Amino acid sequence: MSFMNKTLIVNAHPKIDDVASFSIRTMNEFIKNYKDLIPTDHILEQINLYQDDIPMVDSTVLSAWDKKSKQEKEGKEVFLTKEEKAVMGRMDQIVEQFKSAGTYIIVMPLHNFNIPSKLKDYMDNILIARKTFAYTKNGSVGLLKNEGRRALLIQGSGGVYTNNDWYTDVEFSYKYLQSMFQFIGVEDFEIVRAQGTNQSIGVPERLEEAYKKVNEAAHRLAGTL
């Protein structure tokens, strides 16, 4: 099966199915339209970061990485603990699931101008040397480059971050995610914002605008499958 025959939805909302959430509602609107447009054999898979097991980089992970690095450098067999084997196995599952898809839909609320903590953990699971990028004598190279992969970020926020003001400058989530996806070779990166949801006026209109944009994104992404 070609990786272009799978879309992976990365749900980074702590309330994974809360219909009061504007990012979840926008995600649901996207999925509804996307399902009507994609081929019948196209696989739509979802990972819920606040429900599924997403390892964080802790002392167990660092110890396992140190041992594997030593093995590669010295050519000697190393022994991982039961806990280290388990967490390395889960991290391998996550990055392989990621690589098996050609389209990525990331859904998240904006938390203090940045990505939710579990999404950062997820990124640490997929930004793996020799899996999604490689070190060369000329610097780092994305291993998913020139493969037609693409990503859509659906972001919900209480404030507005597109007025070219202070809030625009400190909206780090989009900058970080776009940079990291480009780092591994995914150049096609788009954002749809369901923003201004905590403001006293204009919220229904902003949500309708977000729905319009994800519908357009669904048509664009499905049209190239």
Side-chain angles (χ1 to χ4, degrees):
M1 181 191 75
S2 168
F3 60 83
M4 291 306 294
N5 198 45
K6 179 190 283 189
T7 294
L8 179 62
I9 298 171
V10 181
N11 181 2
H13 200 292
K15 298 180 178 180
I16 62 172
D17 55 3
D18 183 8
V19 293
S21 161
F22 284 81
S23 53
I24 295 296
R25 288 161 68 178
T26 307
M27 175 190 76
N28 290 339
E29 180 71 12
F30 171 85
I31 292 174
K32 180 184 72 174
N33 288 295
Y34 194 59
K35 280 183 174 179
D36 289 339
L37 297 166
I38 57 178
T40 55
D41 63 344
H42 189 83
I43 298 172
L44 199 59
E45 194 169 310
Q46 182 166 326
I47 181 170
N48 298 308
L49 304 189
Y50 282 87
Q51 182 181 69
D52 298 325
D53 177 22
I54 310 297
M56 66 182 296
V57 177
D58 59 8
S59 59
T60 302
V61 171
L62 291 177
S63 175
W65 281 348
D66 286 344
K67 289 178 180 179
K68 293 177 72 174
S69 177
K70 184 177 182 180
Q71 180 177 3
E72 292 170 0
K73 290 178 180 178
E74 300 179 5
K76 298 179 181 179
E77 185 177 4
V78 298
F79 295 94
L80 301 181
T81 66
K82 180 180 178 181
E83 292 76 15
E84 289 167 350
K85 288 179 181 178
V87 74
M88 288 295 100
R90 178 55 183 157
M91 293 182 80
D92 284 343
Q93 290 175 348
I94 291 171
V95 72
E96 291 305 321
Q97 179 194 47
F98 181 83
K99 289 172 60 180
S100 72
T103 303
Y104 309 104
I105 313 300
I106 306 101
V107 184
M108 55 157 276
L110 190 66
H111 283 177
N112 291 326
F113 312 112
N114 217 324
I115 64 176
S117 59
K118 274 298 179 182
L119 183 52
K120 178 57 170 66
D121 291 339
Y122 182 77
M123 297 303 294
D124 289 337
N125 279 258
I126 65 172
L127 295 169
I128 303 295
R130 295 180 297 280
K131 294 278 190 176
T132 54
F133 73 95
Y135 297 111
T136 74
K137 63 180 180 180
N138 297 318
S140 301
V141 175
L143 297 180
L144 308 185
K145 194 175 181 66
N146 300 323
E147 293 185 343
R149 298 177 193 257
R150 56 272 180 87
L152 169 67
L153 171 62
I154 298 174
Q155 180 205 85
S157 64
V160 176
Y161 292 85
T162 53
N163 287 334
N164 197 30
D165 55 10
W166 182 87
Y167 288 93
T168 303
D169 291 337
V170 298
E171 202 284 81
F172 300 113
S173 72
Y174 172 65
K175 300 171 187 176
Y176 169 73
L177 290 172
Q178 182 185 46
S179 297
M180 292 304 98
F181 270 80
Q182 290 177 346
F183 174 70
I184 60 178
V186 182
E187 299 286 345
D188 185 343
F189 192 95
E190 179 184 3
I191 183 172
V192 170
R193 301 178 187 269
Q195 59 179 347
T197 61
N198 284 343
Q199 299 191 354
S200 58
I201 59 174
V203 173
E205 291 79 8
R206 292 191 184 96
L207 186 59
E208 282 302 315
E209 180 65 18
Y211 284 178
K212 176 184 176 184
K213 288 182 177 178
V214 290
N215 188 27
E216 292 171 353
H219 278 80
R220 182 179 77 85
L221 295 172
T224 53
L225 291 175

